[in-house]
Amino acid sequence: MNETNVQISPLQFTILTALFIVGSAVLFIPTILVGAASQDAWISGIIGMGIGVLLAWFYSSLTKIDPEKSYIQMCLFAFGKWGGGLLAILTFTFHIILACFLLFDIGDFLITHILIGTPIEVIYYMFIFVAIIYSTKLGIETTARSAEIFMPWVFLLFSLISIFVLPEVEPTNILPVYENGFGPILFGVYFFIGFPFAEMIVLLMITPFINDKKKITSSFIYGVLLGSMILLVFIVLCLLVLGADYSQRNEFPIYVLGKQVSIGNFLERVEVIVAIIWFISIFFKLSIVSHSFMLGLSQLLNMKDYRPLTFPFAVLIIPLTLLIIPSSIYLKGFTKYASTPYMVTVGIIIPAIVFIVSKWKMRRTSS
């Protein structure tokens, strides 16, 4: 299939953006934000959501400089073959690290809670085959259509789990509000910007395929709002049901939230609903990251088709995951101290420089 003929609708891009935002964040963001802002984590969530919308507007503004160019092509346009190539390579490290994070999250969760005792490498190979080799070879158009089918089910399951835990809500768990001042709230916002909003730079590799370029901004913003609202509701539910102390001490508080459901001693332990939401969203996020990486690399190398890169990338990503992330303890330390500065640098600061230089070159060319 020729990439020049690939098209996705603004609605499909909105859905892909929402699933990308939810991604792995649905399991980890409550712990991260509550750990930073305690019972005020919901305030961090609201502020972070607003910043996420601003970032979506900024990214769409970057694409509007030349809607037919991907982010890697914009880097090459702004800084030339060598400077743009260096920025592209730095962006590719971002893709690889993000793919390793997602793959480890999948494996760690499954061997901890569901497939206990299973070698983590087996989980890796299963997801690599489906999310990278198969879905990436089919292309982003097929992935977008699949997301359009799955999104209503994600929203239905999200609504069900939200309704089921309402009897367990304790409003006093979010009190007192603003107990420790604004500092911890800003600290939570800081983490929320890096994960998952700064990661949205990956989505700029697929914006050229949107068939109605005039709706890029609105579809981007709607996707961020939808995904952020799902995360915000889960953060609030974790606080109201589990409390701040338990939410920050548990690695997967959303999964534990599903275990709290008990309606009439009949409907109990519906944590599988949370697991299904997470599996669907992280599958699409890993597919988008993989597709974006291979498409960008093929553009840098002037290849006509990215598909020959699919199998080498799949083979490479498993040993890299085992090498980069030896344990969940290491990942927590990296997330706490190094992840956000790195994500913000590659996902916000560098794109801002590319935006400024591209704008200047476009004005100079037109004049």
Side-chain angles (χ1 to χ4, degrees):
M1 183 173 60
N2 192 342
E3 283 294 312
T4 58
N5 298 325
V6 173
Q7 289 189 339
I8 62 175
S9 69
L11 176 61
Q12 290 171 339
F13 182 72
T14 295
I15 293 172
L16 287 175
T17 302
L19 290 173
F20 186 90
I21 293 295
V22 174
S24 55
V26 70
L27 279 186
F28 299 103
I29 270 297
T31 300
I32 294 172
L33 292 196
V34 175
S38 192
Q39 68 269 20
D40 291 330
W42 62 276
I43 303 177
S44 298
I46 293 173
I47 298 173
M49 184 170 64
I51 296 175
V53 170
L54 291 176
L55 281 175
W57 173 81
F58 163 68
Y59 290 140
S60 60
S61 299
L62 177 57
T63 64
K64 285 183 177 180
I65 295 176
D66 190 341
E68 301 301 326
K69 282 186 170 68
S70 69
Y71 176 68
I72 296 300
Q73 291 171 327
M74 290 297 296
C75 290
L76 295 172
F77 168 75
F79 294 97
K81 180 180 179 180
W82 295 106
L86 288 174
L87 289 183
I89 292 172
L90 181 60
T91 305
F92 293 150
T93 64
F94 182 87
H95 284 79
I96 291 173
I97 291 175
L98 185 54
C100 290
F101 280 4
L102 294 172
L103 200 57
F104 179 83
D105 290 342
I106 295 164
D108 185 53
F109 175 77
L110 285 176
I111 66 173
T112 303
H113 290 280
I114 299 176
L115 302 176
I116 300 172
T118 303
I120 198 169
E121 294 83 358
V122 175
I123 310 298
Y124 289 169
Y125 281 112
M126 289 170 55
F127 260 84
I128 284 297
F129 177 78
V130 178
I132 295 182
I133 297 179
Y134 186 67
S135 69
T136 308
K137 275 185 172 290
L138 291 176
I140 194 63
E141 190 172 12
T142 304
T143 302
R145 291 175 180 174
S146 302
E148 202 170 10
I149 295 172
F150 278 102
M151 189 61 193
W153 293 100
V154 170
F155 194 76
L156 175 63
L157 294 174
F158 161 72
S159 301
L160 288 176
I161 191 69
S162 301
I163 294 170
F164 289 160
V165 298
L166 287 180
E168 309 298 324
V169 163
E170 291 289 343
T172 55
N173 284 343
I174 62 170
L175 300 176
V177 177
Y178 205 65
E179 180 183 21
N180 299 312
F182 203 59
I185 294 174
L186 286 179
F187 198 42
V189 173
Y190 164 76
F191 283 118
F192 207 15
I193 293 172
F195 174 59
F197 295 123
E199 298 172 353
M200 294 190 299
I201 190 66
V202 171
L203 295 169
L204 297 191
M205 292 304 301
I206 62 176
T207 51
F209 302 127
I210 299 176
N211 55 22
D212 188 352
K213 300 296 191 293
K214 295 179 181 179
K215 295 183 178 179
I216 290 178
T217 302
S218 59
S219 59
F220 216 143
I221 290 175
Y222 290 150
V224 170
L225 284 173
L226 180 58
S228 301
M229 281 301 300
I230 292 175
L231 295 181
L232 182 60
V233 169
F234 276 140
I235 291 168
V236 172
L237 288 176
C238 282
L239 288 171
L240 291 176
V241 176
L242 302 177
D245 184 58
Y246 189 80
S247 294
Q248 64 183 304
R249 285 190 291 108
N250 196 283
E251 188 175 6
F252 307 111
I254 292 293
Y255 190 72
V256 177
L257 190 69
K259 295 182 179 181
Q260 304 301 311
V261 174
S262 179
I263 301 177
N265 293 324
F266 172 72
L267 186 62
E268 296 185 347
R269 297 189 61 120
V270 294
E271 63 270 19
V272 67
I273 293 179
V274 176
I276 292 172
I277 294 173
W278 187 66
F279 287 146
I280 293 173
S281 61
I282 202 169
F283 165 79
F284 282 104
K285 185 170 184 176
L286 183 57
S287 297
I288 293 169
V289 171
S290 303
H291 186 277
S292 299
F293 170 80
M294 285 176 272
L295 182 61
L297 185 58
S298 68
Q299 291 171 349
L300 181 65
L301 300 176
N302 289 320
M303 297 174 61
K304 293 182 178 180
D305 190 9
Y306 69 88
R307 286 169 180 80
L309 300 172
T310 302
F311 187 74
F313 177 71
V315 172
L316 180 66
I317 204 67
I318 293 178
L320 279 178
T321 302
L322 295 171
L323 179 66
I324 294 174
I325 314 172
S327 67
S328 59
I329 303 298
Y330 177 87
L331 180 59
K332 288 177 183 177
F334 181 84
T335 302
K336 184 175 181 180
Y337 298 108
S339 176
T340 302
Y342 173 72
M343 297 292 184
V344 169
T345 300
V346 180
I348 299 177
I349 297 175
I350 292 178
I353 297 172
V354 172
F355 176 81
I356 294 170
V357 176
S358 298
K359 272 283 191 182
W360 174 73
K361 292 190 73 172
M362 287 294 287
R363 289 178 179 176
R364 191 181 66 172
T365 303
S366 61
S367 62

